[in-house]
Amino acid sequence: MSAPDLLHLDQISYRFPRQSQGTLTDISFCLPAGEILGLLGASGCGKTTLLRLIAGFMAPTSGTIRLEDHIVAGAGQWVPPEARHLGMVFQDYALFPHLNVRRNLEFGLRKSSPSQRTERVRQVLALVQLTGYEARYPHQLSGGQQQRVALARALAPQPRLLLLDEPLSNLDTQVRQQLRLEIRRILKTTGTSGIFVTHDQEEAFAVCDRVAVLHRGKIEQIGTPAELYQSPASRVVAQLVTQGNWLPATPQGDGVWHTEIGPIPYPAPRPDLTRDCELMIPQENVILEPDEQGEAVIQDRQFLGREYRYCLSTPSGRELHARVRQEPLLPVGSRVRLRVKPQGVQAFPSNP
């Protein structure tokens, strides 16, 4: 039995004043209780605007927002942010610099008794693994620790939904990788629903159960990370989530695409394309075969830990990449013949 919907957006649009084009257009989706949804897209696509509409910091131009079957925005209804019982974690932590960790966490617990506040502070500090940090001030904490405190503060009042606006973008790579897993663990442990805004595909896939890809104020596709990666619904989604190679191709009647690196078999099911297109080829689908007469030249080789990433140039000067676990290593400057595994290859019109 599926979980009931906690949040429902129906045809939400928003237009900034004095702008002819809408920032968001006809956004609709449901968020089941306990799910983490990612909002993924490039800067300016409307991710943060959408989050602010859900939080109640802004009102939609049209459409309705429901929380647990109660309209909080639209249809003549408006519930202010403080009455929506949502938590928010910002990119810049937004901690009170003059308050220690305990006082920061108690800020949203003012209606609780002193004993209840003490117990809740203890619980959320244990949850974010900062037990013993109650007396420290924000300037005495690392960036990762400050974001853990911000997360604990948002969770302290036990919100029904947690909104996270690029919470890891100010942190270094190692801390980001650790904290994104911690955020998912904490939300799942507490059963808290979440909406996670990011421009980082890897981050969205690591944290979220489903991801909505936004482009120019519209949702291009929404689905699980595996669905987006394996079956992107548009060229925009494919470019954002697959990190694949793009190669012009012409479909042939004998069941193959003709490309400058040779024929590539159609995958199953056969694509419904009868004119020139571009193939999206995952980097892991490219197989390198040493050949002095090969059509591609290795321009660079990068060690990624468990595999190598080869940078290749084609006869037309196009750059392709292959991620392989291949021994012996192929030297830079050598020629190779390229083969492509058809599974996972997607075809998109050349002029969408």
Side-chain angles (χ1 to χ4, degrees):
M1 183 176 179
S2 60
D5 290 334
L6 172 66
L7 175 71
H8 180 78
L9 273 67
D10 184 22
Q11 298 292 298
I12 287 294
S13 296
Y14 180 81
R15 178 177 294 121
F16 279 111
R18 296 181 297 278
Q19 289 188 4
S20 59
Q21 295 184 342
T23 302
L24 294 171
T25 305
D26 297 334
I27 301 292
S28 298
F29 66 81
C30 296
L31 178 70
E35 183 180 88
I36 306 172
L37 174 69
L39 301 180
L40 175 66
S43 297
C45 70
K47 306 184 299 295
T48 295
T49 298
L50 182 55
L51 204 70
R52 292 174 66 84
L53 290 172
I54 295 169
F57 300 150
M58 300 155 58
T61 304
S62 61
T64 58
I65 300 175
R66 293 176 177 268
L67 278 169
E68 295 179 335
D69 286 332
H70 298 289
I71 295 178
V72 296
Q77 303 293 318
W78 174 255
V79 176
E82 63 272 16
R84 297 191 184 187
H85 196 46
L86 307 179
M88 189 122 186
V89 180
F90 299 93
Q91 177 179 340
D92 59 357
Y93 320 139
L95 299 176
F96 297 111
H98 63 292
L99 300 179
N100 63 21
V101 169
R102 174 184 294 279
R103 297 303 182 192
N104 266 282
L105 298 187
E106 289 179 341
F107 185 80
L109 302 172
R110 287 166 292 178
K111 295 183 180 180
S112 303
S113 67
S115 61
Q116 289 174 326
R117 289 198 297 269
T118 298
E119 176 58 19
R120 186 57 182 158
V121 168
R122 184 194 66 79
Q123 291 174 349
V124 292
L125 282 179
L127 192 64
V128 300
Q129 300 178 353
L130 286 179
T131 299
Y133 285 71
E134 295 88 341
R136 297 196 187 186
Y137 286 83
H139 72 271
Q140 297 174 312
L141 304 174
S142 68
Q145 290 169 339
Q146 289 185 57
Q147 195 58 290
R148 286 173 184 267
V149 174
L151 180 61
R153 184 179 62 181
L155 290 169
Q158 298 178 295
R160 51 185 171 181
L161 174 62
L162 189 64
L163 308 176
L164 303 105
D165 188 9
E166 301 211 40
L168 308 179
S169 59
N170 284 342
L171 304 174
D172 62 51
T173 301
Q174 185 175 0
V175 176
R176 287 181 69 164
Q177 291 177 345
Q178 178 184 3
L179 200 50
R180 71 190 184 193
L181 300 179
E182 284 296 300
I183 287 175
R184 179 172 174 84
R185 175 189 65 81
I186 289 167
L187 293 182
K188 290 301 181 181
T189 298
T190 59
T192 304
S193 303
I195 298 182
F196 188 94
V197 166
T198 181
H199 61 272
D200 186 316
Q201 169 262 338
E202 184 177 327
E203 192 169 274
F205 280 17
V207 173
C208 304
D209 301 307
R210 287 190 304 153
V211 177
V213 177
L214 272 69
H215 177 66
R216 295 181 178 176
K218 295 183 178 181
I219 292 181
E220 286 281 328
Q221 187 177 358
I222 185 169
T224 65
E227 289 169 346
L228 296 182
Y229 190 87
Q230 295 168 3
S231 303
S234 70
R235 184 188 185 96
V236 168
V237 177
Q239 288 176 323
L240 187 62
V241 307
T242 65
Q243 299 178 348
N245 298 295
W246 291 86
L247 190 65
T250 301
Q252 300 291 311
D254 54 357
V256 299
W257 281 295
H258 174 73
T259 75
E260 65 172 304
I261 64 171
I264 298 176
Y266 293 154
R270 181 172 176 155
D272 184 21
L273 284 173
T274 58
R275 58 187 178 87
D276 289 357
C277 60
E278 278 197 283
L279 302 183
M280 187 287 296
I281 304 171
Q283 295 181 15
E284 59 270 23
N285 281 34
V286 180
I287 300 172
L288 310 183
E289 297 178 345
D291 186 338
E292 292 183 359
Q293 305 302 316
E295 65 280 349
V297 178
I298 297 175
Q299 300 293 344
D300 194 16
R301 185 186 67 217
Q302 302 154 1
F303 180 59
L304 303 181
R306 289 177 293 181
E307 60 191 2
Y308 286 88
R309 182 173 185 258
Y310 285 88
C311 302
L312 310 151
S313 62
T314 68
S316 69
R318 182 176 296 270
E319 184 175 282
L320 301 179
H321 299 94
R323 298 170 73 105
V324 300
R325 299 179 183 180
Q326 183 166 327
E327 297 287 350
L329 298 180
L330 303 177
V332 173
S334 61
R335 286 190 167 272
V336 292
R337 186 168 299 281
L338 304 181
R339 287 197 300 111
V340 174
K341 294 182 289 186
Q343 294 77 16
V345 174
Q346 300 279 326
F348 295 92
S350 297
N351 297 302

